[in-house]
Amino acid sequence: MPNHDITSPLITSDHLILTVDPLPAADTTSAAPLSGTAGGNPFTFLGCDESEALTVPVPMTIDPFKNNTPNIEGVYEWLKMLLCLPIAILRLVLFGLCLAVGYIATRLALEGWKDKENPMPKWRSRLMWVTRICARWILFSFGYQWIKRKGRPAPREVAPIIVSNHVSYIEPIFYFYELFPTIVASESHDALPFVGTIIRAMQVIYVDRFSPSSRKHAVKEIKRRASCNRFPRVLLFPEGTTTNGRNLISFQLGAFIPGYPIQPVIVRYPHVHFDQSWGNVSLGKLMFRMFTQFHNFFEVEYLPVISPLHDKETAVHFRERACRAIASAMNVVQTGHTYGDIMLYMKAQEAKQENPSSFMVEMARVESLFHIRSLEAVEFLDKFLAMNPDPSGRVQYHNFLKVLRLKACPLSEKVKFYLIIFYQNPLKIRSSDPCMFAFIDVEKCGSITFRQFRLMTRHLIHVLLCCFQFLYGSAYVMKHRGFHQACEEAFAECSSAVKGYIVEQEVHELFMLFDDDNDGRITKDDFHSCLKKNPLLIAFLTPHLQHKECDGNNGVIEIV
């Protein structure tokens, strides 16, 4: 590449020669997405095999977070609610009184105690019995007059860690009364009025689920406290969020990495008219429904202790054995959902999508394959929602192109469109059909769902950058070791060695896409940030370094 100084023109002549591979035999004048595999794979220049068929995993029809009775329905429920209103008032008074007494007792137990790294002194723990008795009366106020138990908790010396499925806010209250364990919780719980003080008395291990360093610290604390019999046993909800109790979702590894024996515990909420799972019901509404029931059923079953098979058993294998034991006892299946799916659901709900559940993609599977974080998945969902999906959650072709700043046009128009990035020197661009929509639309129905947008197969892995599919594929590209290098090369081709940034007066849409801070220039940070949000565009920005002779006109296109 010739050297350019700051005064050199971007294009040195009114003619530009680009070397491209010839187009496949197809109607390039059509604006509609191409179908079939022939000429429909826009990433053959990466070395992807055209003969490999693109498939989409079968969508999961189970929603493990759905509450079956989100609304009061039926004459019986309305009559019961009316009859229980006076009882609900008394229960509310009892709840407030118990909470106040428990709070005062907890404050006394914590008064002057500053050494939070060591176990709570015995006299303080005995004072906490007042709060624990209050917790049982709080359960009574919610309608749990009796609780059915099966099995018994193992001694702390035998099983220092307890894991349980998580359905409602009732289980933490019950375990606080029954076992007074140490728990792992988000730092946001510390700020809750009254409850935050009680949580601190449980010597909580705080964790930020989105911070790798915080999760690593939490695992160390779990191991340290599990190894010391003077600490209470450690209670973890490995699902990381509440479900409806009819399924298990993916378990986190935190409880299994320390390698100590664990005792699985399962909770059930038998019901006919009122589903007590938290699900998609607000806390206030759920509490009101509990107050207006004659009795709420709650069952706890302590399962046999599970110990590591040997010192070399991995945490993943240990987790799988625990999952199978709990799923078998509950007679349910385990899905690949995580808290990340809740975030996707809430984002789709905020966007007023007709069926927010259809935007959940079983984040555990995505994370295990591509190591993409939940926050990154939400950013990709933002991009998809910007494409204006219809009520059924499908995106049409023209909206797909509009958001990605692509144009459906013949090759010459495509070259002119992408020339705005490669404006310094002639580049050798190997062309293929850049209709990414047709490649993702494996059903050939002219629209795509978020699952298709994300759940693409991983077999398109060759050469410099691998797996160019959208969302699912884009995530893989962004995490690939060659992505950063490709960004560096693309920026080097586009920018001046002297300036270190890109300025283009003639560019409008695509320049605005990269110029995120609207300062009239594209810095390296702007460039990399845009490509992380739109990894697919790297296909058009990466120089094809190896020249290949073409038939016919030798692959030379002259643009004036």
Side-chain angles (χ1 to χ4, degrees), residues 251-282:
F251 278 16
Q252 303 299 313
L253 283 173
F256 310 97
I257 292 176
Y260 287 96
I262 66 169
Q263 182 174 28
V265 186
I266 58 178
V267 296
R268 302 183 183 92
Y269 294 83
H271 67 276
V272 176
H273 302 283
F274 168 47
D275 184 355
Q276 300 156 60
S277 63
W278 203 335
N280 53 349
V281 181
S282 66

Side-chain angles (χ1 to χ4, degrees), residues 48-79:
C48 300
D49 189 356
E50 284 277 5
S51 64
E52 295 183 7
L54 185 67
T55 60
V56 178
V58 177
M60 173 66 70
T61 57
I62 296 173
D63 183 354
F65 311 106
K66 184 179 180 181
N67 185 297
N68 278 344
T69 60
N71 301 311
I72 303 174
E73 296 178 353
V75 176
Y76 173 76
E77 276 299 294
W78 280 103
L79 288 176

Side-chain angles (χ1 to χ4, degrees), residues 93 141 164 181 276 334 398 402 519:
V93 172
S141 70
S164 172
Q276 300 156 60
Q334 186 178 29
H398 63 280
K402 180 180 178 181
D519 63 351

